[in-house]
Amino acid sequence: MDLLQQIVARAKADKQRIVLPEATEERTLRAADRVLADGLADLILIGNPQELDRQAAQWGLTNIHKATIIDPENNPKSEEYAQLLCELRKKKGMTIEQARELVKNPLYLGCMIIKTEGADGQISGALSTTGDTLRPALQIIKCSPGITCVSGAMLLITKQPQYGENGIVVMGDVAVTPMPDANQLAQIAVCTAQTAKSVAGFEEPRVAMLSFSTKGSAKHEVVDKVLEATRMAREMAPELKIDGELQADAALVPSVGQKKAPGSDIAGKANVLVAPNLEVGNIGYKLVQRLGDAIAIGPILQGIARPVNDLSRGCSVDDIYYMVAITACQAMGAK
C-alpha cells in the first residue's frame, strides 16, 4: 500500500467533518461526490442547495445528498455566527453589520462552523487565493497553542528507499513564511514533525535542521540562527528527535552523516527536513520533484489550531480528493 492509499485508509477509519466552501465549483463538487461515495469523510458543502442539485444532476453526481448543505444566504445560524465573529474581532474595530456580511462569505462561514465545533477542517483554493483562504482561518480559528506562524509542509515520495522513511521525506517550510527568525524556525520544525506523524504516518519523526554548514564547518549568522532554532525546538518539544545544523547530505546519507556529524542520532537518518528559509525550501523541493522524479504532495498548511488547507487554482479532482484525506488525518492529530 503506497502512502496515498495509507492516508486514505486512515481517513476512512476515523471519519472527520470537512468543509468545502467552494462547493459549486465543478472540480470541487466532483471530488465531493467521490469522497461521499467512498466514505472518506463527512462533508459540509457551502452553496445554494438548488444550484448544487442542478449541478449534481447535470454532471451525473449521485452522492451529493449524503452531505450536509449550508446555504450562506439563508443560514439559521447566521446571527449566532455574526455575534461571535464581532466579539472575536472587536479589538480590530469590526462592527456587527460587517460581521453579518462576512458570515455570508463561504470562506468565513466555514471557519465559523469549525470555530463552533461543527466541523474539523476546511479546504479551499480552487477558486480563492492563498490569502483569501488564510485570512479567515487566522482571524477566527487562530494558530495552535504556542505557535505564532503558519507554514507549509511537502510530502516528497522519492524512488530512493535508502533515504528518509523508505524514500519518503517531509519538508518544511516550502510555502508560507519567507524569512523565519529562530523562534519561527523552531515552530516550523515542531509543526513539520507533527505533520510527518499525522499525515505521513511516521512513528518517529527524525528532524534535520538544514544549513550549508554541518556542526561548525562554517561560521555565519544564518548558521547561528539554525543552531538557535534547534535549541528552541528542543525546549518546545523535549521528546522530539532533532539535530542541527546539518548539510543535506549529512542529514540523509549514513556514511556522510557518520563522517561529518559523528555521534548524531539524526545525521544520515533524517526523515524530516527543515529548510532555513522559504527560498531554500521552495527551490529545494521543486528540484527534488523535477530532477529526482519525486512525487510532491502539498503544500499542507500547518500551525493553525484546526486544519485549513489551500489548493492550487489549477488543482484536479484527484488533488481535492486526496487533500480531503490529508486534512482529515491532520484533524485527528489536532484533537
Side-chain angles (χ1 to χ4, degrees):
M1 186 183 295
D2 67 20
L3 179 58
L4 283 175
Q5 291 174 324
Q6 292 172 26
I7 291 169
V8 167
R10 289 202 303 275
K12 288 181 178 180
D14 186 4
K15 286 206 291 185
Q16 302 294 299
R17 302 163 299 171
I18 307 300
V19 183
L20 298 179
E22 300 169 331
T24 56
E25 192 276 330
E26 182 175 355
R27 293 162 298 171
T28 302
L29 196 61
R30 289 185 181 276
D33 188 73
R34 181 176 162 194
V35 166
L36 294 163
D38 292 353
L40 183 62
D42 293 324
L43 293 184
I44 298 168
L45 305 181
I46 298 179
N48 178 274
Q50 289 74 35
E51 178 66 9
L52 288 171
D53 284 345
R54 185 192 66 77
Q55 290 175 317
Q58 177 184 348
W59 299 324
L61 309 178
T62 59
N63 296 283
I64 299 304
H65 67 280
K66 298 177 184 177
T68 298
I69 297 174
I70 296 178
D71 184 350
E73 296 292 337
N74 187 27
N75 176 16
K77 292 189 175 182
S78 281
E79 185 61 23
E80 173 191 339
Y81 291 159
Q83 294 288 342
L84 176 56
L85 179 58
C86 187
E87 178 66 23
L88 289 170
R89 302 293 294 167
K90 66 180 181 181
K91 291 183 179 178
K92 298 295 184 180
M94 181 172 288
T95 66
I96 187 62
E97 290 78 14
Q98 291 170 327
R100 285 172 179 148
E101 284 303 308
L102 279 176
V103 298
K104 296 178 185 178
N105 179 317
L107 300 178
Y108 275 82
L109 175 54
C111 288
M112 292 305 301
I113 295 169
I114 294 170
K115 183 69 173 180
T116 54
E117 300 185 354
D120 303 302
Q122 175 167 294
I123 302 164
S124 59
L127 293 173
S128 310
T129 66
T130 298
D132 287 341
T133 292
L134 277 176
R135 194 174 302 110
L138 294 176
Q139 290 178 1
I140 296 166
I141 303 170
K142 304 186 184 300
C143 288
S144 302
I147 302 298
T148 60
C149 75
V150 176
S151 57
M154 190 68 66
L155 307 185
L156 292 171
I157 305 173
T158 79
K159 297 177 180 178
Q160 304 295 327
Q162 68 272 32
Y163 301 135
E165 197 77 10
N166 295 316
I168 300 169
V169 174
V170 183
M171 188 172 185
D173 173 22
V174 302
V176 183
T177 304
M179 290 296 293
D181 60 25
N183 179 264
Q184 291 172 321
L185 194 58
Q187 295 176 37
I188 290 167
V190 172
C191 289
T192 307
Q194 177 57 41
T195 296
K197 291 182 70 173
S198 63
V199 178
F202 291 3
E203 290 186 13
E204 183 183 71
R206 299 181 296 276
V207 182
M209 304 294 281
L210 297 183
S211 176
F212 61 83
S213 169
T214 296
K215 297 298 181 180
S217 64
K219 303 294 183 183
H220 194 278
E221 60 185 20
V222 297
V223 177
D224 295 338
K225 181 183 80 168
V226 174
L227 283 168
E228 178 64 7
T230 304
R231 183 192 66 77
M232 296 177 80
R234 286 175 176 145
E235 289 183 353
M236 290 175 61
E239 76 288 351
L240 183 62
K241 291 188 177 298
I242 184 170
D243 199 9
E245 86 283 15
L246 295 171
Q247 291 164 291
D249 57 351
L252 291 169
V253 184
S255 60
V256 178
Q258 290 170 9
K259 183 177 181 179
K260 292 187 174 183
S264 171
D265 292 334
I266 302 301
K269 305 173 187 176
N271 53 21
V272 175
L273 304 177
V274 177
N277 58 48
L278 178 56
E279 191 170 38
V280 173
N282 190 272
I283 292 170
Y285 99 74
K286 288 178 178 177
L287 287 173
V288 173
Q289 179 186 24
R290 300 301 177 180
L291 298 180
D293 197 24
I295 297 170
I297 301 171
I300 301 164
L301 297 183
Q302 50 191 24
I304 306 170
R306 289 292 181 269
V308 173
N309 275 308
D310 179 38
L311 298 159
S312 164
R313 277 172 281 178
C315 63
S316 67
V317 171
D318 278 354
D319 292 336
I320 300 169
Y321 178 89
Y322 288 118
M323 191 56 80
V324 169
I326 286 168
T327 305
C329 289
Q330 282 182 290
M332 295 174 211
K335 292 181 177 178

